[in-house]
């Protein structure tokens, strides 16, 4: 039985299955990807970026159609799915517009006996291992800069996203990408570790996923001396020091946390609130959480969507139950709704302390953890008291005060007076157990890149 299947998270119904690749097919993909690299690397960058521009146009034109595919695969409401296709289109267009600048030769200062340059060149076939929570966007972050640079791509998507994975490959072909420059494979984890990463034709791997997956892939890549980019979990702090409009702040943070039904690495998983506004903040968040009810995502996309799968719902609720058993206070939610599918009640937790499961693990679902603090120093200490370091945000009417805290948060990204957001021109990535490397923005093309020193001596 194949592990690649479309299972409607709203009903639990198995809609379609796709055959898992054989070992022979994986080896063939490596051969074809390497062969395609030999010609794609030499293709003028103007032609490479023209393909990306066509991909961008296709995503823009087919937004609602593509959104319906991932709604069926992982439960995302149609408006959010359309939004995902829009940002994906922007990413492809961004690298179409800027790749030439990003790889332009850079003259180095210093030599008196010659001229030194830094050249950015492709390295070969790169493996991408992508998650289910943003099926199109995550692939765009990885594929766009690498294809622009001249690398080729083998893509292993999440087992629950086989239909969107196939469609993405078809879009590249439609846009004019040469055969085998992008290959979708329905590979197993064992095929990744035992066949792809040991193969000398593979030059690296980019993974977005869980800590567990990142650790396993990094170990296999390290054993084979392969470069990795890892975008893993997050437990992002949102520090609310004060606000001129509490209702607006609550609305903003609530909507940000509930994006993709709480299944985003960089959403506000820990809301750290000053004591003078804490009680009102908690009351308003709890009221909003209790008001959300599940609905058929096909007829009422504005209401509560299911989690990505029944297994994901059970895992999420297990973390909540364990945290409550350890002494946390549950103000709302904590149950799966009756009936089929993966609908869960939004959760509000307070009194979460160090040592509890919810304090140290990422809660990947609609959970609001609220922390009361009485000083800026306490807020900063709590913000940094996590094994993760992906994103963060600080809110205050006093910009100097907000900047002082923001500058000391240990995270890959920090925002002031606005929620975190993914934009094609902003580098995305974390520190600590949130991973290594950067995607998007001007740094993305430097990851799987031969930054070659080129020295011309004066004769």
């Amino acid at each position: 039985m194949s592990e690649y299947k479309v299972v409607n998270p709203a009903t639990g119904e198995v809609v379609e299955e796709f055959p898992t690749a054989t070992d022979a097919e994986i080896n063939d993909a490596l051969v074809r990807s390497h062969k395609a690299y030999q010609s794609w690397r030499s293709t003028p960058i103007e032609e490479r970026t023209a393909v990306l521009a066509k991909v961008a146009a296709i995503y823009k034109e087919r937004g609602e159609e593509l959104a319906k595919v991932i709604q069926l695969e992982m439960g995302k409401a149609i408006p959010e799915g359309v939004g995902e296709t829009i940002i994906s289109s922007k990413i492809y267009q961004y690298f179409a517009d800027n790749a030439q600048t990003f790889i332009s030769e850079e003259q180095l200062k210093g030599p008196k006996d010659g001229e030194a340059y830094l050249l950015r060149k492709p390295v070969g076939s790169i493996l991408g291992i992508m998650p289910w929570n943003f099926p199109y966007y995550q692939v765009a972050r990885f594929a766009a800069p690498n294809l622009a640079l001249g690398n080729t791509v083998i893509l292993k998507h999440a087992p629950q996203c086989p239909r969107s994975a196939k469609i993405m490959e078809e879009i590249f072909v439609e846009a004019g990408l040469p055969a085998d420059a992008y290959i979708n494979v329905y590979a197993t984890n064992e095929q990744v570790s035992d066949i792809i990463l040991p193969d000398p034709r593979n030059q690296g791997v980019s993974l977005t996923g869980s800590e567990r997956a990142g650790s396993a892939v990094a170990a296999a890549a390290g054993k084979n001396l392969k470069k990795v980019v890892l975008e893993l979990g997050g437990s992002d702090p949102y520090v609310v020091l004060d606000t001129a409009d509490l209702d607006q702040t609550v609305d903003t943070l609530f909507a940000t946390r509930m994006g993709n039904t709480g299944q985003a690495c960089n959403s506000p998983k820990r809301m750290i609130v000053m004591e003078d506004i804490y009680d009102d903040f908690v009351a308003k968040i709890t009221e909003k959480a209790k008001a959300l009810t599940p609905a058929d995502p096909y007829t009422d996309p504005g209401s509560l969507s299911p989690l990505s799968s029944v297994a994901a719902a059970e895992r999420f609720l297990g973390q909540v139950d364990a945290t409550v058993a350890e002494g946390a206070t549950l103000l709302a939610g904590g149950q799966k709704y009756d009936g089929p599918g993966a609908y869960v009640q939004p959760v509000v937790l307070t009194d979460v302390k160090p040592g509890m499961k919810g304090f140290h693990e990422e809660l990947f679902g609609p959970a609001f953890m609220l922390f009361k603090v009485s000083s800026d120093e306490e807020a900063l200490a709590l913000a940094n008291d996590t094994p993760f370091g992906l994103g963060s945000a600080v809110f205050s009417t006093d910009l100097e005060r907000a900047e002082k805290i923001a500058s000391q948060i240990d995270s890959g990204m920090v925002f002031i007076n606005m929620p975190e957001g993914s934009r094609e021109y902003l580098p995305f990535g974390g520190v600590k157990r949130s991973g290594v490397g950067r995607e998007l923005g001007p740094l993305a093309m430097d990851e799987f890149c031969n930054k070659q020193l080129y020295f011309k001596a004066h004769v």
Side-chain angles (χ1 to χ4, degrees):
M1 180 180 294
S2 174
E3 64 179 85
Y4 285 86
K5 60 185 68 176
V6 178
V7 181
N8 186 345
T11 65
E13 172 193 7
V14 177
V15 178
E16 187 177 10
E17 295 191 42
F18 292 73
T20 302
T22 64
D23 289 356
E25 289 170 332
I26 297 298
N27 278 301
D28 182 60
L30 284 161
V31 171
R32 291 188 288 123
S33 185
H34 180 68
K35 183 178 180 181
Y37 167 66
Q38 303 308 318
S39 59
W40 183 241
R41 67 184 298 187
S42 301
T43 301
I45 190 168
E46 295 83 4
E47 294 181 27
R48 298 200 300 261
T49 55
V51 170
L52 295 185
K54 290 178 183 177
V55 172
I58 293 170
Y59 274 87
K60 191 174 181 179
E61 292 165 3
R62 296 173 58 184
E64 187 155 346
E65 170 202 344
L66 297 174
K68 289 179 179 177
V69 173
I70 60 174
Q71 181 184 60
L72 188 63
E73 288 182 325
M74 48 72 64
K76 183 168 294 184
I78 291 294
E80 289 192 75
V82 171
E84 183 176 334
T85 66
I86 291 171
I87 182 61
S88 299
S89 176
K90 289 180 178 179
I91 291 168
Y92 288 112
Q93 190 63 55
Y94 174 78
F95 288 101
D97 293 340
N98 295 285
Q100 176 70 74
T101 299
F102 293 157
I103 66 170
S104 296
E105 65 179 33
E106 178 184 346
Q107 186 166 6
L108 305 178
K109 296 179 180 180
K112 305 299 184 184
D113 55 345
E115 297 175 13
Y117 297 88
L118 191 64
L119 307 181
R120 288 174 169 82
K121 296 183 176 181
V123 293
S125 174
I126 309 298
L127 173 66
I129 303 175
M130 296 296 122
W132 47 261
N133 59 333
F134 292 92
Y136 302 121
Y137 159 72
Q138 301 284 7
V139 172
R141 293 194 330 193
F142 162 67
N146 279 294
L147 292 172
L149 180 61
N151 293 327
T152 53
V153 167
I154 294 177
L155 201 292
K156 178 203 178 300
H157 218 314
Q160 69 196 81
C161 296
R163 185 179 289 181
S164 57
K166 181 174 183 289
I167 289 172
M168 279 183 274
E169 185 180 47
E170 293 169 351
I171 287 174
F172 279 114
V173 172
E174 180 183 344
L177 188 70
D180 303 329
Y182 178 104
I183 301 174
N184 174 62
V185 293
Y186 298 128
T188 65
N189 293 337
E190 291 72 25
Q191 287 170 331
V192 168
S193 61
D194 298 343
I195 300 176
I196 299 178
L197 292 180
D199 194 289
R201 288 164 294 203
N202 167 261
Q203 297 300 315
V205 56
S206 177
L207 175 141
T208 297
S210 66
E211 280 184 275
R212 178 192 56 77
S215 178
V217 167
K223 179 181 178 182
N224 292 285
L225 301 178
K226 300 296 174 69
K227 169 74 182 288
V228 297
V229 168
L230 303 173
E231 196 273 276
L232 308 177
S235 186
D236 293 9
Y238 272 42
V239 179
V240 183
L241 301 173
D242 58 71
T243 175
D245 189 333
L246 183 60
D247 287 334
Q248 183 182 47
T249 301
V250 168
D251 288 348
T252 297
L253 269 63
F254 185 87
T256 304
R257 184 65 180 106
M258 286 303 301
N260 204 29
T261 323
Q263 299 166 117
C265 297
N266 63 325
S267 70
K269 299 189 178 76
R270 295 179 298 140
M271 297 183 184
I272 300 168
V273 185
M274 278 293 163
E275 60 183 354
D276 58 328
I277 56 174
Y278 176 82
D279 290 342
D280 288 340
F281 191 98
V282 171
K284 291 177 183 294
I285 285 283
T286 304
E287 180 182 5
K288 292 177 74 67
K290 289 180 176 179
L292 272 182
T293 55
D296 183 342
Y298 297 97
T299 59
D300 189 7
S303 296
L304 182 66
S305 296
L307 292 188
S308 63
S309 66
V310 171
E314 292 174 348
R315 183 165 54 250
F316 168 72
L317 292 175
Q319 290 175 297
V320 173
D321 289 344
T323 305
V324 173
E326 292 163 344
T329 301
L330 180 68
L331 297 180
Q335 299 292 323
K336 183 176 176 293
Y337 283 98
D338 293 335
Y343 291 96
V344 300
Q345 300 168 352
V347 169
V348 179
L349 289 169
T350 60
D351 303 314
V352 179
K353 307 292 184 184
M356 296 181 182
K357 199 174 190 70
F359 190 91
H360 298 286
E361 294 185 4
E362 179 182 31
L363 297 185
F364 215 58
F368 297 84
M369 285 197 299
L370 300 142
F371 299 84
K372 179 167 62 175
V373 292
S374 58
S375 69
D376 291 10
E377 293 74 20
E378 186 183 1
L380 177 61
L382 186 54
N384 285 333
D385 190 5
T386 173
F388 298 103
L390 187 55
S392 58
V394 181
F395 294 80
S396 176
T397 57
D398 183 339
L399 186 58
E400 183 178 351
R401 182 186 182 195
E403 289 179 335
K404 183 177 180 181
I405 289 183
S407 66
Q408 299 177 78
I409 294 179
D410 300 328
S411 64
M413 303 172 286
V414 61
F415 288 71
I416 295 176
N417 286 331
M418 66 175 294
E420 295 178 65
S422 183
R423 302 180 187 181
E424 66 275 13
Y425 47 81
L426 298 179
F428 189 106
V431 295
K432 298 193 283 190
R433 295 190 68 83
S434 288
V436 294
R438 291 295 181 269
E439 296 177 304
L440 300 179
L443 303 182
M445 289 179 69
D446 276 356
E447 292 295 347
F448 296 101
C449 172
N450 174 14
K451 293 182 275 290
Q452 183 183 60
L453 171 66
Y454 187 79
F455 196 106
K456 293 189 296 185
H458 292 154
V459 178

